[in-house]
């Protein structure tokens, strides 16, 4: 008998004994040798590539899996690693034995990972399992991972940077047409998810103790299982699960915004509900004012790179309909982010970069989304974040002509919104010339500087929009003329309006400077631009006279024309 045959018989006999042993039949994972035998049998089947061997081992694998699933609620040991090993066999040889792995995979997420996501070994093994089999998931189970992305986010939120690199490889597989929009919200709210999970641990006991037995004695896992049932099966959690008046209650109150954060699921519209709760602002402020836990510090660093992956996929692989639907969501969430200064800065930067890239790729989005854009312009004074968002939207409107030449009606409406914003700024109260005695001089100076910057952006957008759509030129001259004649203390504002008025008197120059950033359809380049790459074939003189333009005094060269132009 060969070494391979002896190993085969030994490991197959281990599976059979485990099935007959009354001590391990009800808790298969309690036998450490069983996991090793499952892995070795799978390796042998892969190496031999024999359908006969696969057919012999499959019934034992199936029995082990079913017993492990049945023992999940009473097991005193972790079942995750054993289930993952058996599932690997199902994925490798499912076609040979006609086994559909989809129900088994769903059991792994719903019944096992929902209990054991806080176990470092199970969490890491799960992500490695998903990475190794990502092609099979994409081809055979494309909708499975997107359905369970809230659970997988709990994995990375709880373990932080330790699993950050692995999760970045898994993240693309979580994106589908159904999960695309809510996944963005969940990634932005990853710090809030950490706060919610730590709240569960504080109020109900540790999510992971020295062993599964210690976990069974506290209410935290039971509560999280109830959350999973609510999110994935639609069951209802009864009121009174916890005392909402007690800070150290045994469970989070059903009406708590943190409870709803844990409950997020992509299919039932819960993704934004917690932000409408009156208590969310107080909870966030309390979290910011308290010392950050190591887990929260890690996720504040981890979330922005995850957004980089998400936005990269959105720009290169997602269709225009979903991209267009994402932009209003970005606008609405721009000012509702976990209030940590560094985290907010990193998220804001990525949101703006993506929005401007999306508008560059599809300028017609500006016309399609004119209503949410106009709403954001109307909120320009509500907070510094909304002011910055309005600035960037003003730039995009002007740069892309309100959506292009074919969207004249939308461009006119956007122009009117810019006019309104401009006239509001011209009033004394909007410019901050009437100082509020209750505000410090630094805040007043910052407010003036911020609004002057906003005015400069609005003036530029009005001039560029009128250059794109010539029918708006008369109104633009009137608007900019009022600014140029106004008594504004900041010279940058009226000087910019005056300069643009002067440009508008020279149509060719104005079109070259303020015209479309991309050539109009059917033309090689926009009017007024010179393509210097063609200079070698279109020069009409031996000397590039444009180099001598606007120079005074003696020539800067030391040669004569006779040395350059040959005599005949």
């Amino acid at each position: 008998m060969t070494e391979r045959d002896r190993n085969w018989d030994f490991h197959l006999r281990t599976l059979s004994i485990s099935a007959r042993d009354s001590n391990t039949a009800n808790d298969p994972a309690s036998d450490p040798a069983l996991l090793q035998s499952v892995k070795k049998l799978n390796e042998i089947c892969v190496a031999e590539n024999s359908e006969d061997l696969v057919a012999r081992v499959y019934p034992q694998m199936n029995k082990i899996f079913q017993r492990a699933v049945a023992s999940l609620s009473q097991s005193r040991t972790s079942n995750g690693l054993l289930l993952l090993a058996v599932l690997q066999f199902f994925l490798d040889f499912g076609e040979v034995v006609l086994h559909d792995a989809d129900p088994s995979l769903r059991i792994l997420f719903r019944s096992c990972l929902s209990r054991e996501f806080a176990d470092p070994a199970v969490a890491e093994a799960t992500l490695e399992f998903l990475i190794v089999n990502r092609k099979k998931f994409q081809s055979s189970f494309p909708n499975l991972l997107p359905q369970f992305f809230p659970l997988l986010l709990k994995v990375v939120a709880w373990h932080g940077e330790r699993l950050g690199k692995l999760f970045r490889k898994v993240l693309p597989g979580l994106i589908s047409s159904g999960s695309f929009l809510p996944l963005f919200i969940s990634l932005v709210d990853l710090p809030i998810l950490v706060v919610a999970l730590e709240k569960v641990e504080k109020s109900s006991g540790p999510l992971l103790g020295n062993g599964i037995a210690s976990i069974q004695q506290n209410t935290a896992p039971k509560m999280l299982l109830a959350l999973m049932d609510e999110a994935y099966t639609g069951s209802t959690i009864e009121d009174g699960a916890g005392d909402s008046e007690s800070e150290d209650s045994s469970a989070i109150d059903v009406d708590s915004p943190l409870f709803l954060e844990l409950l997020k699921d992509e299919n039932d519209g819960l993704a934004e509900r917690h932000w409408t709760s009156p208590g969310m602002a107080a909870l966030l402020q309390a979290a910011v004012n308290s010392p950050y836990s190591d887990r929260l510090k890690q996720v504040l660093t981890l979330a922005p790179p995850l957004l980089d992956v998400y936005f990269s996929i959105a720009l290169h692989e997602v269709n225009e309909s979903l991209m267009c639907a994402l932009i209003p969501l970005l606008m609405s969430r721009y000012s509702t982010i976990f209030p940590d200064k560094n985290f907010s800065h990193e998220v804001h930067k990525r949101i703006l970069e993506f929005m401007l890239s999306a508008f560059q790729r599809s300028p017609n989005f500006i016309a399609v989304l004119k209503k949410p854009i106009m709403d954001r312009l109307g909120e320009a004074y509500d907070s510094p974040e909304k002011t910055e968002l309005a600035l960037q939207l003003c730039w995009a409107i002007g740069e892309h002509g309100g959506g292009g030449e074919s969207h004249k009606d939308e461009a006119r409406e956007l122009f009117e919104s810019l006019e309104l914003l401009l006239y509001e700024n011209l009033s004394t109260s909007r410019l901050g010339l009437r100082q509020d005695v209750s505000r410090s001089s630094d805040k007043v100076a910052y407010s003036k500087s911020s609004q002057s910057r906003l005015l400069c952006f609005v003036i530029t957008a009005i001039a560029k929009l009128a250059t794109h759509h010539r029918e708006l030129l008369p109104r633009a001259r009137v608007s900019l003329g009022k600014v140029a004649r106004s008594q504004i203390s900041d010279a940058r504002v009226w000087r910019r309006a005056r300069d643009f008025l002067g440009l508008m008197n020279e149509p060719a120059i104005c079109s070259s400077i303020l015209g479309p950033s991309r050539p109009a359809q059917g033309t090689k380049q926009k009017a007024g631009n010179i393509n210097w790459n063609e200079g070698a074939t279109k020069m009409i003189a031996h000397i590039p006279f444009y180099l001598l333009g606007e120079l005074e005094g003696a020539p800067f060269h030391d040669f004569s024309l006779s040395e350059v132009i040959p005599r005949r």
Side-chain angles (χ1 to χ4, degrees), residues 54 58 86-101 136 141:
V54 172
Y58 169 70
V86 177
L87 281 170
Q88 187 62 60
F89 177 86
F90 289 163
L91 289 179
D92 289 340
F93 305 106
E95 295 182 357
V96 176
V97 296
L98 301 179
H99 179 94
D100 182 9
K136 294 179 182 178
F141 318 103

Side-chain angles (χ1 to χ4, degrees), residues 266-500:
E266 67 271 26
N267 298 318
D268 53 14
L270 294 175
E272 288 277 37
R273 191 194 305 172
H274 65 282
W275 281 103
T276 65
S277 169
M280 181 50 99
L283 287 170
L284 290 178
Q285 196 61 43
V288 171
N289 293 336
S290 303
Y292 290 178
S293 65
D294 290 340
R295 188 173 287 111
L296 181 56
K297 291 177 183 178
Q298 290 181 25
V299 86
L300 288 173
T301 305
L302 179 62
L306 294 179
L307 284 174
D308 286 336
V309 176
Y310 175 86
F311 284 138
S312 177
I313 293 172
L315 280 174
H316 299 100
E317 299 181 21
V318 174
N319 61 55
E320 288 200 350
S321 298
L322 284 175
M323 278 187 61
C324 191
L326 175 63
I327 293 176
L329 189 59
L330 300 180
M331 296 180 189
S332 64
R333 289 306 308 271
Y334 190 82
S335 58
T336 51
I337 295 174
F338 187 81
D340 176 81
K341 183 178 180 181
N342 292 332
F343 177 74
S344 298
H345 171 74
E346 294 297 327
V347 174
H348 287 158
K349 180 176 68 174
R350 286 162 172 80
I351 289 177
L352 291 178
E353 288 176 352
F354 171 78
M355 285 178 53
L356 296 179
S357 298
F359 288 143
Q360 177 70 27
R361 186 180 112 172
S362 304
N364 59 304
F365 284 177
I366 296 175
V368 175
L369 301 174
K370 64 179 177 60
K371 181 60 171 62
I373 290 176
M374 291 162 61
D375 291 342
R376 299 290 87 79
L377 295 180
E379 298 172 354
Y381 312 105
D382 293 354
S383 66
E385 293 81 13
K386 292 185 178 181
T387 300
E388 185 63 29
L389 178 59
L391 287 173
Q392 301 301 328
L393 290 176
C394 286
W395 183 89
I397 292 171
E399 179 69 13
H400 303 294
E405 293 294 330
S406 60
H407 297 281
K408 294 188 178 297
D409 291 338
E410 292 84 355
R412 176 182 50 78
E413 295 182 46
L414 291 168
F415 185 90
E416 291 171 353
S417 295
L418 293 171
E419 275 186 323
L420 179 60
L421 192 58
L422 180 66
Y423 293 148
E424 286 179 343
N425 272 274
L426 289 178
S427 66
T428 302
S429 59
R430 288 296 186 186
L431 285 172
L433 299 179
R434 183 181 60 196
Q435 295 188 10
D436 187 347
V437 295
S438 64
R439 302 172 65 189
S440 66
S441 58
D442 291 341
K443 290 184 178 180
V444 171
Y446 173 79
S447 178
K448 287 184 178 181
S449 175
S450 177
Q451 294 190 7
S452 295
R453 183 166 171 255
L454 176 61
L455 261 178
C456 289
F457 272 72
V458 173
I459 290 170
T460 303
I462 286 177
K464 291 174 73 68
L465 198 55
T467 305
H468 282 263
H469 302 275
R470 308 290 294 178
E471 64 275 10
L472 298 175
L473 274 174
R475 294 177 63 173
R477 288 193 176 97
V478 172
S479 300
L480 300 186
K482 290 182 178 181
V483 178
R485 294 189 299 270
S486 63
Q487 301 296 320
I488 298 178
S489 58
D490 194 330
R492 295 174 300 173
V493 176
W494 58 260
R495 188 182 294 121
R496 176 165 296 197
R498 185 191 62 187
D499 291 345
F500 285 156

Side-chain angles (χ1 to χ4, degrees), residues 42 46 54 58 61 65 83-97 99-106 108-109 126 128-141 144-145:
N42 193 28
V46 171
V54 172
Y58 169 70
M61 289 284 193
F65 186 85
L83 290 179
L84 287 170
V86 177
L87 281 170
Q88 187 62 60
F89 177 86
F90 289 163
L91 289 179
D92 289 340
F93 305 106
E95 295 182 357
V96 176
V97 296
H99 179 94
D100 182 9
D102 184 78
S104 303
L105 290 167
R106 292 180 183 275
L108 171 71
F109 290 111
T126 300
E128 291 176 345
F129 171 79
L130 298 179
I131 293 171
V132 169
N133 298 286
R134 54 187 165 187
K135 291 184 178 179
K136 294 179 182 178
F137 277 94
Q138 292 173 358
S139 60
S140 303
F141 318 103
L144 182 63
L145 293 184

Side-chain angles (χ1 to χ4, degrees), residues 172-240:
L174 307 185
I175 298 178
S176 69
S177 58
S179 67
F180 178 68
L181 298 179
L183 181 56
F184 163 74
I185 297 173
S186 297
L187 290 174
V188 170
D189 288 346
L190 210 55
I192 304 174
L193 177 59
V194 170
V195 174
L197 289 172
E198 290 182 335
K199 173 69 174 178
V200 172
E201 185 178 54
K202 179 181 178 181
S203 62
S204 304
L207 301 183
L208 182 68
N210 295 327
I212 298 297
S214 63
I215 298 179
Q216 299 291 349
Q217 297 173 2
N218 65 60
T219 59
K222 296 178 182 178
M223 177 182 175
L224 289 174
L225 287 175
L227 292 172
M228 297 302 164
D229 288 340
E230 170 76 9
Y232 298 123
T233 65
S235 60
T236 302
I237 299 176
E238 297 180 359
D239 294 337

Side-chain angles (χ1 to χ4, degrees), residues 152-192:
L152 292 171
L153 285 177
K154 289 179 175 63
V155 172
V156 72
W158 192 250
H159 297 283
E161 293 179 351
R162 180 174 177 271
L163 299 182
K165 291 183 179 179
L166 290 176
F167 187 79
R168 279 196 286 272
K169 297 179 181 179
V170 172
L171 181 57
L174 307 185
I175 298 178
S176 69
S177 58
S179 67
F180 178 68
L181 298 179
L183 181 56
F184 163 74
I185 297 173
S186 297
L187 290 174
V188 170
D189 288 346
L190 210 55
I192 304 174

